């Protein structure tokens, strides 16, 4: 069986790398969070890494990230551009906002023909999460058996402000029933709450949330295309609308055209939601290096 691939959604990278959190150095040898994702994927048995980028950073990407990783694994990339939408639709002249994460995944259709994971470029997911995902992808049964790494809500919060999370509800078998975006999630006294329509509601600390670590088979590409076409038929004139992976997943579950196994991992997620979070990320990675989870220099 082919090794699974890793798709990294990095279209948010810009041409001036030094000012962007995706490649902001947080490791002891100047590694960015994205370095740890690639390193963990290689260790977990992924055989190929495909980046989704914007056309205007191609040269910078080839001279930086591609050269950094190509000695260690098979690297490829695709573009995500606004005009890349199915006929008969055409790009509204005023549109400047990307089409969303589901559209980003669709862009890799011609580069991936095996089970694959899709992640954000700027999130640290942890080695255990990559191992659990790789094992699931290598043992996928049905072509519409998908997966997601679920994290405990309490372990994904920021000390410096509120966050938005995809809050999951599961059935008794550990499969996803629904995923709903909740905003303004924060600690309030001894509780974790979210805000909606000016009111606050409590959330359990161990609530499973999605941090955009998904597992798919190539079957998902045709499903995304169909869903995105339907999305455009309703939202082409809404210049701020985006087609997100959770929206796709909810549609597939509701229609019976897919199911999602929520994988439990003991890994801790962390990322830089606020600039003040960077110090925490640096300290956490330092602890992982000191405990032997990672070498002092990933690529030496």
């Amino acid at each position: 069986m082919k090794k699974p691939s890793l798709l990294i959604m990095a279209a948010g990278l810009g041409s001036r790398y030094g000012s962007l959190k995706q490649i902001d150095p947080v490791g002891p040898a100047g590694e960015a969070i994205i370095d740890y994702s690639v390193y963990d994927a290689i260790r977990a048995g992924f055989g190929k890494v495909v980046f989704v980028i914007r056309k205007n950073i191609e040269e910078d990407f080839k001279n930086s990230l591609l050269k950094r990783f190509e000695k260690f694994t098979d690297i490829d990339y695709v573009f995500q551009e606004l005009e890349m939408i199915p006929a008969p639709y055409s790009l509204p002249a005023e549109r400047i906002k990307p089409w969303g994460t589901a559209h980003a995944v669709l862009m890799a259709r011609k580069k991936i023909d095996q089970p694959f994971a899709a992640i954000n470029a700027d999130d640290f997911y942890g080695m255990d999460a990559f191992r659990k995902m790789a094992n699931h992808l290598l043992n996928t049964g049905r072509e519409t058996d998908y997966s997601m790494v679920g994290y405990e809500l309490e372990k994904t919060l920021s000390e410096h402000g509120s966050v938005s999370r995809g809050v999951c509800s599961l059935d008794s078998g550990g499969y996803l029933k629904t995923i709903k975006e909740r905003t303004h999630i924060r600690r309030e006294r001894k509780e974790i709450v979210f805000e909606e329509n000016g009111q606050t509601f409590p959330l359990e600390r161990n609530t499973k949330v999605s941090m955009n670590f998904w597992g798919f088979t190539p079957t998902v590409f045709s499903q995304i295309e169909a869903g995105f076409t339907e999305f455009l038929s309703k939202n082409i004139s809404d210049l701020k609308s985006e087609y997100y992976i959770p929206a796709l997943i909810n549609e597939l579950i509701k229609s019976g055209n897919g199911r999602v196994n929520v994988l439990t991992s003991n890994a801790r997620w962390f990322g830089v939601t606020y600039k003040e979070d960077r110090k925490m990320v640096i300290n956490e990675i330092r602890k992982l290096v000191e405990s032997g989870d990672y070498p002092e220099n990933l690529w030496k």
Side-chain angles (χ1 to χ4, degrees):
M1 183 176 182
K2 286 185 178 180
K3 290 183 177 181
S5 291
L6 176 66
L7 177 65
I8 300 181
M9 295 178 283
L13 289 171
S15 58
R16 297 185 64 186
Y17 276 140
S19 63
L20 293 145
K21 64 180 181 179
Q22 290 96 329
I23 51 77
D24 201 12
V26 292
E31 297 92 347
I33 288 177
I34 202 169
D35 286 272
Y36 289 92
S37 292
V38 174
Y39 185 83
D40 283 341
I42 294 171
R43 288 198 294 176
F46 286 81
K48 179 181 181 180
V49 180
V50 178
F51 288 86
V52 182
I53 64 172
R54 297 293 295 273
K55 177 68 175 177
N56 64 348
I57 70 159
E58 181 179 14
E59 288 306 311
D60 284 342
F61 172 81
K62 289 194 293 186
N63 293 329
S64 179
L65 293 180
L66 192 149
K67 284 189 175 180
R68 190 185 307 177
F69 303 137
E70 63 183 358
K71 296 179 182 178
F72 301 93
T73 190
D74 184 12
I75 299 290
D76 209 337
Y77 62 93
V78 295
F79 300 123
Q80 182 185 17
E81 299 294 344
L82 294 177
E83 67 272 13
M84 293 178 173
I85 58 177
Y89 301 100
S90 57
L91 179 69
E94 303 86 0
R95 178 88 189 193
I96 58 174
K97 194 174 185 64
W99 291 109
T101 50
H103 178 254
V105 172
L106 182 60
M107 297 300 97
R109 186 174 196 169
K110 295 182 179 179
K111 298 288 186 177
I112 295 177
D113 61 359
Q114 61 278 322
F116 68 99
I119 65 169
N120 294 333
D122 54 358
D123 290 311
F124 185 100
Y125 293 101
M127 182 59 210
D128 182 68
F130 281 92
R131 285 185 178 138
K132 294 284 177 59
M133 180 60 75
N135 181 65
H136 183 271
L137 293 174
L138 287 168
N139 294 283
T140 297
R142 302 186 311 177
E143 289 188 352
T144 54
D145 260 355
Y146 303 141
S147 56
M148 181 204 86
V149 177
Y151 291 82
E152 291 185 7
L153 173 62
E154 185 176 30
K155 297 179 181 179
T156 73
L157 301 181
S158 171
E159 297 298 326
H160 305 288
S162 64
V163 299
S164 297
R165 297 288 181 255
V167 174
C168 304
S169 61
L170 282 61
D171 65 19
S172 59
Y175 287 91
L176 188 66
K177 289 199 297 184
T178 61
I179 178 169
K180 186 172 181 60
E181 183 78 0
R182 295 299 189 188
T183 60
H184 299 96
I185 301 174
R186 62 188 183 274
R187 290 187 176 90
E188 193 170 276
R189 301 182 182 88
K190 294 183 179 181
E191 286 188 316
I192 298 175
V193 301
F194 72 93
E195 187 175 317
E196 187 174 61
N197 298 324
Q199 294 182 289
T200 58
F201 303 89
L203 285 168
E204 294 294 328
R205 296 177 182 276
N206 62 352
T207 298
K208 285 290 188 295
V209 296
S210 166
M211 302 307 297
N212 254 5
F213 194 155
W214 300 95
F216 297 115
T217 70
T219 298
V220 81
F221 292 124
S222 59
Q223 293 176 321
I224 295 175
E225 184 173 40
F228 185 50
T229 301
E230 177 66 19
F231 167 86
L232 290 174
S233 73
K234 298 176 181 178
N235 299 282
I236 189 70
S237 298
D238 183 349
L239 301 180
K240 294 185 178 180
S241 61
E242 296 184 59
Y243 190 40
Y244 294 113
I245 293 173
L248 165 76
I249 293 299
N250 281 331
E251 292 166 6
L252 295 179
I253 293 172
K254 184 178 180 180
S255 65
N257 291 319
R259 64 179 184 176
V260 178
N261 190 345
V262 180
L263 308 177
T264 300
S265 170
N266 61 20
R268 185 191 169 198
W269 172 94
F270 48 84
V272 184
T273 305
Y274 299 93
K275 63 180 181 180
E276 294 85 357
D277 292 326
R278 183 172 178 268
K279 183 176 180 181
M280 176 275 295
V281 171
I282 292 173
N283 290 338
E284 291 298 319
I285 289 178
R286 169 50 65 185
K287 291 177 185 177
L288 291 170
V289 171
E290 291 175 350
S291 65
D293 290 274
Y294 297 95
E296 189 81 16
N297 187 325
L298 289 184
W299 309 114
K300 187 175 180 180

